[in-house]
Amino acid sequence: MATIKRAGQTLRVIAGKAWITFDGEDRLVLAGQEIVLEPDLDAAIMSALGDESLVYRINESLGK
């Protein structure tokens, strides 16, 4: 499990499946998909889903 501060960055799943929770909602992000973590005081919580290893990359927002 990982806690990610939300600052407008893009999280891209390279391999595996990510279960991400923020704003009171759960999201499933599969390999090849991405999600934007809009700036907010509440962090996103991310866990790997299933037996496959989760590999992901976070690209910082361009506005920084």
Side-chain angles (χ1 to χ4, degrees), residues 2-22:
T3 302
I4 304 168
K5 181 179 176 183
R6 294 169 46 199
Q9 68 274 48
T10 301
L11 184 144
R12 181 170 189 69
V13 174
I14 307 301
K17 300 173 192 160
W19 180 0
I20 304 174
T21 300
F22 61 92

Side-chain angles (χ1 to χ4, degrees), residues 16-19 27-30 47-54:
K17 300 173 192 160
W19 180 0
R27 293 153 172 95
L28 179 63
V29 184
L30 306 175
S47 297
L49 190 61
D51 294 332
E52 189 177 350
S53 295
L54 176 61

Side-chain angles (χ1 to χ4, degrees), residues 8-62:
Q9 68 274 48
T10 301
L11 184 144
R12 181 170 189 69
V13 174
I14 307 301
K17 300 173 192 160
W19 180 0
I20 304 174
T21 300
F22 61 92
D23 291 340
E25 294 184 25
D26 295 333
R27 293 153 172 95
L28 179 63
V29 184
L30 306 175
Q33 296 179 332
E34 60 186 30
I35 190 169
V36 176
L37 302 175
E38 296 293 341
D40 197 280
L41 294 177
D42 292 329
I45 307 298
M46 180 176 66
S47 297
L49 190 61
D51 294 332
E52 189 177 350
S53 295
L54 176 61
V55 179
Y56 65 95
R57 177 179 36 218
I58 297 177
N59 294 321
E60 299 299 321
S61 67
L62 297 175

